[in-house]
Amino acid sequence: MSFRTTPAIDYVEDVSPGSGALPPRAWYASSDAASLSLNGSWRLRVSPTADAEDDSFAEEGYDAGDWAEVAVPGHWVLQGDGAFGLPIYTNHLYPFPVDPPHVPTENPTGDHLHVFDLPADWPADGSAVIRFDGVESCARVWLNGTDIGEFKGSRLPHEFAVGHLLKPSGNVLAVRVHQWSAGSYLEDQDQWWLPGIFRDVTLLHRPAGSALDFFVHASYDHVTGEGTLRVDSDVDGRVSVPALDIDVATGESVTVPVEAWTAETPKLYDGVLVTEGERVPLRIGFRTVELADGLIKVNGTPLLFKGVNRHEWHPEKGRALDLETMREDVLLMKRHNINSVRTSHYPPHPAFLDLCDEYGLWVIDECDLETHGFTEQAWRDNPVDDDRWTPALLDRAARMVERDKNHPSVVIWSLGNEAGTGRGLTAMAEWIHGRDSSRLVHYEGDWDCRDTDMYSRMYASHAEVEAIGRDLDGGTHKRRELPFILCEYAHAMGNGPGGLADYQRLFETYDRLQGAFVWEWIDHGVKHPELGYAYGGDFREELHDGNFVCDGLLFPDRAPSPGLVEFKKVIEPVSFDGSDTAVRVTNKQDFADLSAFVFEWSYQVDGETAESGSLSVPALAPGESADVKLPEPPADHSGGEAQWTVRASLATDTAWAPKGHEVAWGQVPVAARQLPTVPATDGPVLSERVITLGPASFDARTGALKTIGGVEVDGLRLDVWRATTDNDEGAEWLTGTRYAELWRKYGLHRMRHRLDSVELGDDALTVRTRVAAAAWEFGLGAVYRWTSDGNRLKLTVSVGPEGEWPVPLPRLGVRFGLAQADGVKWYGGGPGEGYPDTKSASRIGRWESTVDGLQTPYLRPQENGARADVRWAEIGGLRIEGGPEFFLSARRWTTEQLDAATHLTDLTAGDTVWVNLDHGLHGIGTGSCGPGVLPQYTLRAEPAEFSFVFSELH
């Protein structure tokens, strides 16, 4: 066989989807036909351009002994310690000139080689196909020196007939993968650009008479409780479902009583499709999806999506996920009350959908399509409105639908993401509606809903969402009759997202609002030997979007962030409201009653449990409520702050969590807390350099606190600055406000403290100051009033704004340093962090931690770790009581050091623990991409007074 010395590479810039691949068909993991995984160690050679090497490497006998070895599935830029190139992160800007369909000459190209033998028992009859489940972004394939085709569509399967080329041993599979191609213009998703063969490669035997494509139709009639099954197949056969006593020919319908499939009750029936040459296991879920009465309904019931957007990610393997990682994702979702997933912005590995079927998650399956970078040129030359690209768009739609059509979890097809509008999208929608009328079609960019079955938006504000819920949003007549979802909201970047509970109240109030999907599931940090986790720019990309790729509810190691804990609380399936004698229990599920849960009560006094027991709650139907009487409070535990805590947990082990797993909780106050009082019986005493007051000493000149008993205290003074969060830094869509930028403009990060007076009274030490920034006339008057009863020291801080304040405050409280501090105890909100608009999950109780344990490891360091509604805290030998409650933070670096850090590795623990006691904190919001902080969570510069009582621990 001869090879051209200069390989033809026209296919790289061809807008067609490729050539040689077989028609798309249903994906299934196994059958009784033989298969051979070709995953494992492959040889790799990376070239700087698409035409740097000829295709002689694909010839049998080629010596690739000096090539590197890489793992397949895998991305070559995540292997070899940078020897094969580096990752690139952009949000929407193309990292190459926009000149469709052309791509740069500098086009990293990976030649892959794998030599394999057939198993000894490989059948001699029939044919065979090689299936590639995912290759980015364009690939040409040879087997034993024969060119069998090329393809684009990175996150989609492609099969090639190869039976006539196989031999018992020494089969040479050669795959040339190009990082850039015409297909790259259709894959401008917010993620890392990572070339390689990153999903499975499999050889499949196709016996004579084997199943080709088949479509399982399994509908459910919620009125009769019957399911209707019909399996259409390209090859005649029979379908049996033993549990339902079904045995029918393909193409025939049968109706029998069944249990329906829902995300809450994911009932699957095991069946089998038998053709002349193959037996294919089926997992069948009966359910009917429809648009009825202006709502998305399944089995006659409207859905409320409590969802997440999920990119596939692993910090070391990129998008090359194994089954256990996918299972971990699903289990974490179920354990955090999530009921739905949008597969942003491409179909996931098909095994993930098997898990969604098994464990129960509603899925919006999204096509591998995004052309977001064309916004930079007002969508000019956008491929989705160019007829030349329509075959590629239709190919992508077909490969998604045909692959995934037999999954009951998939209830909605999505055309793609942020691709503008155009004729190509209309063609996709028409094809999908024609091929599968049993599901609905989604696309967020179609605001007029010309091609879609629902109105979808991203990051709409609370006010706009409420207007949509009240049908006051206008729009086309068709749109006004359709349900609404937020396909992206609550941008989970860094500390946040804020305002989740406020959104959820709207979803639960207005029927038209059918829920939302948090952006997004996991931070895309790349494991890095020096930085811990890397983000955009850390690989010297000439164009990048920084840490915008770190915007998930999970950290890269899949540890839940405080945002995920908050989300779990906000969307919990049972709610509790009540009084001191009864609790109102509401079932917020769509399909299941409460029989799967057991309920417990406990009665706390000053944060300690006095008594506890079980609570008898009826098996309420979805949407039902009941008032359940609580026991009499224990008579011998009166006099302190008291509350009921009610919990719902799993009654038995489930597939996704063990017995006792908590799914919901609520707290009902009974008796209010009494604020601490300190009679001012001691007065300040002045000596030469020191003022003493009760257990404390102060600098005689400045009035600065020095010690409380034997505890040294450093630099206690008013503090208004915080290390800005990603949401502080981001631009609020509605107002264009970037609070971090404004705060720095007005100098809130460099406030000066002017001492006006130190006054010794009969019963108080009063220090008057003014706090303001250079260059501006506005500031804060701050008065510190110290009193004591001889053992305890009380600080009352009075703050008054001076001048016209143009911005809210980041925080308002006091900060000081302690020389020795490690363990922390507190009574208040916990166990994790909480801010004004992120503290739904902050449970009032007594908690313990270390100073290091209080920190939240956001990949870009920022304000974190505050504990909300703290009544008292013990740290560094001091007990601190608040009047009123306060936010507590403590860390081994200053706010300024935290603010300056770009990675966690920049933070070095010092000898001092810096403690913040905050009367108020500005909310968090989701301004990194979406609405900012709601008015009720905005910390305005207003007169305020708050106090703290200090005493030494013994």
Side-chain angles (χ1 to χ4, degrees):
M1 178 171 291
S2 63
F3 291 85
R4 286 170 289 186
T5 57
T6 302
I9 59 168
D10 290 348
Y11 65 90
V12 173
E13 294 183 339
D14 190 340
V15 299
S16 75
S19 64
L22 296 169
R25 65 188 181 110
W27 190 96
Y28 49 93
S30 64
S31 75
D32 66 345
S35 67
L36 176 66
S37 172
L38 301 181
N39 296 345
S41 179
W42 289 46
R43 292 288 184 175
L44 173 72
R45 174 184 66 192
V46 178
S47 306
T49 66
D51 60 356
E53 302 284 351
D54 63 23
D55 49 13
S56 61
F57 80 102
E59 188 175 5
E60 295 179 84
Y62 183 88
D63 184 5
D66 60 346
W67 289 20
E69 290 190 50
V70 294
V72 170
H75 305 278
W76 71 68
V77 294
L78 295 182
Q79 304 183 62
D81 295 325
F84 311 132
L86 297 167
I88 300 169
Y89 166 62
T90 61
N91 169 26
H92 77 280
L93 297 174
Y94 289 104
F96 48 79
V98 179
D99 183 22
H102 305 297
V103 294
T105 299
E106 294 117 8
N107 187 357
T109 295
D111 290 334
H112 296 72
L113 273 177
H114 186 62
V115 179
F116 65 94
D117 300 334
L118 295 179
D121 58 352
W122 189 266
D125 63 323
S127 62
V129 300
I130 280 182
R131 183 175 67 208
F132 295 88
D133 280 316
V135 181
E136 183 175 329
S137 71
C138 171
R140 192 174 196 98
V141 186
W142 296 263
L143 182 63
N144 292 329
T146 299
D147 182 351
I148 60 176
E150 82 282 340
F151 63 92
K152 306 177 189 76
S154 296
R155 269 67 72 171
L156 296 162
H158 295 81
E159 291 183 332
F160 296 88
V162 297
H164 60 295
L165 300 174
L166 290 172
K167 55 186 183 178
S169 62
N171 292 282
V172 178
L173 178 59
V175 186
R176 171 163 285 167
V177 180
H178 307 284
Q179 174 153 24
W180 311 122
S181 69
S184 301
Y185 284 99
L186 305 180
E187 297 171 4
D188 189 26
Q189 294 104 342
D190 176 8
Q191 61 180 347
W192 294 95
W193 299 87
L194 300 173
I197 304 171
F198 67 93
R199 287 186 185 159
D200 305 294
V201 183
T202 310
L203 180 68
L204 301 167
H205 180 237
R206 309 310 298 140
S210 61
L212 296 177
D213 191 23
F214 58 92
F215 196 163
V216 178
H217 303 274
S219 61
Y220 179 75
D221 187 327
H222 66 279
V223 176
T224 66
E226 294 178 318
T228 299
L229 176 66
R230 186 184 82 251
V231 178
D232 295 331
S233 174
D234 288 353
V235 176
D236 290 342
R238 297 194 68 80
V239 175
S240 62
V241 186
L244 298 175
D245 198 25
I246 289 176
D247 186 352
V248 294
T250 55
E252 293 185 7
S253 297
V254 60
T255 300
V256 294
V258 298
E259 295 178 46
W261 189 98
T262 75
E264 295 166 9
T265 57
K267 176 63 177 180
L268 292 172
Y269 290 93
D270 289 324
V272 62
L273 166 64
V274 180
T275 67
E276 177 186 353
E278 188 173 18
R279 295 174 60 88
V280 180
L282 306 176
R283 304 209 75 191
I284 303 166
F286 291 88
R287 53 103 186 102
T288 294
V289 184
E290 61 181 337
L291 182 65
D293 305 316
L295 297 173
I296 302 165
K297 293 185 177 182
V298 173
N299 304 337
T301 297
L303 296 186
L304 184 59
F305 293 113
K306 304 170 184 178
V308 292
N309 286 274
R310 176 184 177 269
H311 268 300
E312 295 183 300
W313 188 250
H314 186 281
E316 296 173 85
K317 301 176 183 177
R319 286 186 286 280
L321 268 60
D322 59 27
L323 180 62
E324 286 314 304
T325 299
M326 291 184 265
R327 189 186 308 275
E328 185 178 359
D329 279 349
V330 171
L331 293 178
L332 280 166
M333 290 176 190
K334 294 292 290 187
R335 291 168 184 170
H336 287 86
N337 296 330
I338 290 164
N339 73 358
S340 47
V341 181
R342 175 180 174 227
T343 68
S344 56
H345 295 297
Y346 43 82
H349 191 293
F352 178 78
L353 298 179
D354 286 340
L355 296 169
C356 293
D357 295 341
E358 178 182 352
Y359 292 102
L361 288 167
W362 307 114
V363 175
I364 298 180
D365 198 358
E366 190 150 273
C367 195
D368 189 10
L369 173 62
E370 182 168 335
T371 64
H372 199 174
F374 284 89
T375 57
E376 298 302 310
Q377 52 197 58
W379 295 108
R380 187 174 61 256
D381 298 327
N382 185 6
V384 306
D385 201 28
D386 183 335
D387 292 338
R388 296 176 300 166
W389 294 80
T390 299
L393 303 183
L394 290 173
D395 180 75
R396 288 170 184 248
R399 290 189 182 279
M400 171 183 70
V401 171
E402 302 297 4
R403 190 195 79 168
D404 297 342
K405 59 183 177 283
N406 295 326
H407 289 283
S409 58
V410 176
V411 293
I412 295 171
W413 302 115
S414 180
L415 303 181
N417 184 68
E418 293 178 313
T421 57
R423 292 162 288 175
L425 288 165
T426 298
M428 293 171 69
E430 289 175 349
W431 184 89
I432 292 174
H433 276 122
R435 175 60 173 144
D436 181 18
S437 60
S438 70
R439 293 177 175 93
L440 305 181
V441 171
H442 164 273
Y443 177 64
E444 182 272 338
D446 183 14
W447 285 16
D448 290 337
C449 302
R450 178 181 63 181
D451 301 322
T452 60
D453 299 312
M454 62 205 69
Y455 178 29
S456 175
R457 288 285 301 282
M458 296 180 181
Y459 307 108
S461 69
H462 297 79
E464 185 180 2
V465 169
E466 182 165 22
I468 294 169
R470 297 174 63 191
D471 298 324
L472 300 176
D473 58 304
T476 62
H477 177 73
K478 179 182 179 183
R479 189 178 93 181
R480 295 197 305 272
E481 293 183 334
L482 293 178
F484 176 79
I485 64 169
L486 275 168
C487 67
E488 294 180 21
Y489 87 127
H491 197 249
M493 186 176 178
N495 189 333
L500 282 171
D502 306 273
Y503 272 118
Q504 195 65 26
R505 281 190 287 270
L506 296 174
F507 303 151
E508 295 175 0
T509 298
Y510 300 102
D511 291 342
R512 186 187 181 193
L513 308 180
Q514 293 202 251
F517 296 78
V518 170
W519 185 267
E520 65 163 309
W521 176 237
I522 188 168
D523 284 344
H524 299 207
V526 177
K527 191 75 171 178
H528 193 281
E530 297 164 4
L531 301 174
Y533 290 107
Y535 49 72
D538 288 333
F539 296 105
R540 303 186 300 278
E541 306 102 302
E542 65 176 10
L543 189 70
H544 66 85
D545 284 290
N547 69 313
F548 202 70
V549 77
C550 299
D551 47 14
L553 294 170
L554 296 181
F555 295 113
D557 63 358
R558 283 182 160 73
S561 75
L564 181 57
V565 177
E566 176 81 355
F567 192 42
K568 175 187 178 181
K569 173 60 180 170
V570 166
I571 61 173
E572 60 190 6
V574 187
S575 68
F576 305 98
D577 299 289
S579 64
D580 57 352
T581 60
V583 62
R584 187 169 188 80
V585 182
T586 301
N587 181 0
K588 292 189 172 183
Q589 298 178 107
D590 292 329
F591 296 93
D593 63 23
L594 296 187
S595 59
F597 307 138
V598 292
F599 296 82
E600 301 168 282
W601 61 267
S602 60
Y603 187 80
Q604 288 94 31
V605 178
D606 291 333
E608 292 191 321
T609 298
E611 290 188 18
S612 61
S614 60
L615 190 68
S616 179
V617 175
L620 300 171
E624 285 189 346
S625 299
D627 292 318
V628 179
K629 184 176 175 56
L630 292 164
E632 289 292 326
D636 56 342
H637 292 284
S638 58
E641 180 181 15
Q643 65 183 10
W644 296 102
T645 297
V646 183
R647 301 172 61 249
S649 56
L650 292 177
T652 60
D653 290 342
T654 69
W656 49 271
K659 174 183 178 180
H661 168 77
E662 183 180 276
V663 298
W665 60 272
Q667 292 187 312
V668 179
V670 176
R673 168 186 178 235
Q674 299 297 312
L675 296 181
T677 59
V678 178
T681 56
D682 264 27
V685 178
L686 175 63
S687 62
E688 183 178 351
R689 296 184 179 180
V690 175
I691 299 170
T692 58
L693 176 61
S697 67
F698 301 80
D699 184 283
R701 184 181 63 84
T702 64
L705 177 66
K706 293 298 186 183
T707 63
I708 300 175
V711 178
E712 295 183 2
V713 180
D714 181 25
L716 187 148
R717 63 183 186 179
L718 192 75
D719 192 17
V720 299
W721 181 243
R722 74 183 184 196
T724 54
T725 68
D726 289 317
N727 287 306
D728 295 335
E729 295 281 353
E732 184 182 334
W733 282 21
L734 299 182
T735 66
T737 301
R738 300 171 66 96
Y739 276 123
E741 183 178 296
L742 289 176
W743 288 340
R744 289 192 170 93
K745 171 185 175 181
Y746 291 117
L748 270 62
H749 62 310
R750 50 177 176 82
M751 301 291 273
R752 306 290 179 85
H753 296 252
R754 186 185 74 204
L755 177 63
D756 287 340
S757 67
V758 178
E759 304 168 5
L760 280 69
D762 292 339
D763 60 356
L765 169 65
T766 303
V767 180
R768 301 184 187 276
T769 68
R770 187 175 190 270
V771 182
W776 303 100
E777 64 178 357
F778 58 87
L780 297 170
V783 179
Y784 309 87
R785 187 173 189 271
W786 299 93
T787 57
S788 177
D789 63 0
N791 295 310
R792 295 175 296 164
L793 180 71
K794 181 176 182 180
L795 167 63
T796 301
V797 182
S798 301
V799 180
E802 299 176 357
E804 294 295 325
W805 272 79
V807 288
L809 295 168
R811 71 181 341 131
L812 182 66
V814 297
R815 177 174 69 165
F816 57 90
L818 296 174
Q820 300 291 330
D822 186 23
V824 186
K825 297 181 180 180
W826 74 98
Y827 169 34
E833 73 180 26
Y835 290 79
D837 55 348
T838 68
K839 63 175 186 173
S840 297
S842 187
R843 192 179 324 202
I844 302 302
R846 294 198 183 196
W847 310 102
E848 294 186 34
S849 178
T850 61
V851 169
D852 293 339
L854 293 178
Q855 315 310 308
T856 303
Y858 297 116
L859 265 65
R860 185 191 74 80
Q862 56 198 272
E863 166 63 36
N864 74 88
R867 269 46 180 186
D869 301 315
V870 175
R871 280 77 164 144
W872 57 255
E874 295 178 351
I875 180 172
L878 293 179
R879 179 182 174 92
I880 306 161
E881 300 174 77
E885 292 75 39
F886 59 96
F887 292 90
L888 169 70
S889 304
R891 51 182 65 98
R892 299 186 187 278
W893 36 79
T894 65
T895 299
E896 291 73 20
Q897 290 169 329
L898 181 62
D899 197 29
T902 61
H903 294 79
L904 290 170
T905 50
D906 295 334
L907 295 171
T908 302
D911 296 330
T912 301
V913 170
W914 293 97
V915 180
N916 277 91
L917 312 176
D918 288 309
H919 175 64
L921 287 169
H922 188 62
I924 297 298
T926 58
S928 55
C929 186
V933 177
L934 288 168
Q936 61 267 37
Y937 307 120
T938 299
L939 183 60
R940 295 176 176 84
E942 298 173 336
E945 185 172 283
F946 48 94
S947 65
F948 303 101
V949 176
F950 300 88
S951 55
E952 186 180 10
L953 292 171
H954 295 286

